[in-house]
Amino acid sequence: MKLNTPTHPEPDPQLLRNAKKGNHEAFAEIVRTYEDLVYSFAFKVCRNKDKASETLQDTFVNVYRKLDQFNNRAKFTTWLYSIVANNCLMKNRRTKLDEASISIDAAPVSHDGDDHDRNDVIQEWKSTPLDKLMNNELKDLLDNAIQKLPGDYRIVFVLRDIEGRSAEETAKILKLTVPAVKSRLRR
């Protein structure tokens, strides 16, 4: 079920230094570079467009406030994922996921108003009406199963199996051990 998610390059060290010094143009460049990644990940975890948008804003407010704490020991994207994950978990704890679920296939690829679903990107070779029906049924079953996972397990599943992150990077993002990540995936 892993998807080919685009990798975002690490920001230029000079850009980060400038942003840390309060250069608003440098920070705006960081936001433009990573807003799609943040929104897409937040949507996959929060399963709600409004919560994903709130998480996008909360994340970059946190990044702005804590950028001086980023120490280059981990990749910037790993640090950014950990902020998004924490924001999503806090939102989920507050609302306990009592809203209707949205299919993972409805997740927008872009946050700039250009809402494409994954079916616009991945073309099927040949599919019969029965294939489409079976695939839709399977997607609904998977979505329901993912939705029923506790937030701590769901976020590990999304990072590993949907975002395609390694167990090591998932552990760093969530501040867990690799065995804990693997244990949550098994559960």
Side-chain angles (χ1 to χ4, degrees):
M1 182 164 174
K2 286 187 183 176
L3 305 172
N4 290 334
T5 53
T7 57
H8 288 75
E10 292 300 302
D12 176 43
Q14 184 62 44
L15 182 69
L16 278 175
R17 280 193 293 276
N18 290 342
K20 284 181 179 183
K21 291 178 184 174
N23 182 316
H24 295 292
E25 290 82 19
F27 185 74
E29 181 63 29
I30 291 170
V31 172
R32 280 190 296 274
T33 302
Y34 295 100
E35 68 183 336
D36 288 345
L37 175 137
V38 169
Y39 180 80
S40 178
F41 178 58
F43 182 86
K44 291 171 188 170
V45 175
C46 294
R47 312 293 288 235
N48 176 294
K49 289 181 182 183
D50 292 334
K51 285 183 184 178
S53 292
E54 287 176 28
T55 300
L56 172 73
Q57 292 175 2
D58 293 347
T59 296
F60 283 111
V61 166
N62 290 353
V63 169
Y64 185 79
R65 288 180 180 159
K66 297 179 182 186
L67 192 56
D68 61 328
Q69 295 175 15
F70 176 67
N71 55 20
N72 293 324
R73 283 196 295 235
K75 294 190 316 186
F76 179 79
T77 51
T78 300
W79 183 69
L80 186 61
Y81 267 112
S82 68
I83 293 171
V84 178
N86 287 334
N87 284 333
C88 286
L89 288 173
M90 285 190 311
K91 281 194 187 334
N92 284 341
R93 284 185 190 120
R94 284 192 292 253
T95 62
K96 295 294 183 186
L97 299 173
D98 55 0
E99 297 169 351
S101 67
I102 298 173
S103 170
I104 235 173
D105 289 325
V109 174
S110 173
H111 184 63
D112 58 6
D114 188 18
D115 292 336
H116 293 94
D117 67 27
R118 227 172 265 111
N119 292 333
D120 290 340
V121 178
I122 302 172
Q123 303 270 328
E124 292 182 328
W125 288 17
K126 289 182 182 178
S127 64
T128 66
L130 179 60
D131 290 335
K132 288 181 183 179
L133 179 69
M134 296 294 283
N135 283 336
N136 286 338
E137 189 174 322
L138 179 59
K139 287 176 191 175
D140 289 342
L141 288 170
L142 286 172
D143 276 344
N144 289 334
I146 292 169
Q147 188 64 29
K148 290 178 183 174
L149 290 173
D152 293 344
Y153 295 160
R154 183 181 323 122
I155 202 160
V156 170
F157 177 78
V158 169
L159 280 167
R160 286 279 292 136
D161 292 328
I162 296 176
E163 290 290 312
R165 301 289 161 195
S166 68
E168 291 77 14
E169 190 170 4
T170 299
K172 282 182 186 176
I173 290 167
L174 300 176
K175 296 177 177 70
L176 297 170
T177 63
V178 173
V181 167
K182 290 179 179 179
S183 173
R184 288 183 184 187
L185 277 175
R186 276 192 302 275
R187 290 181 184 160

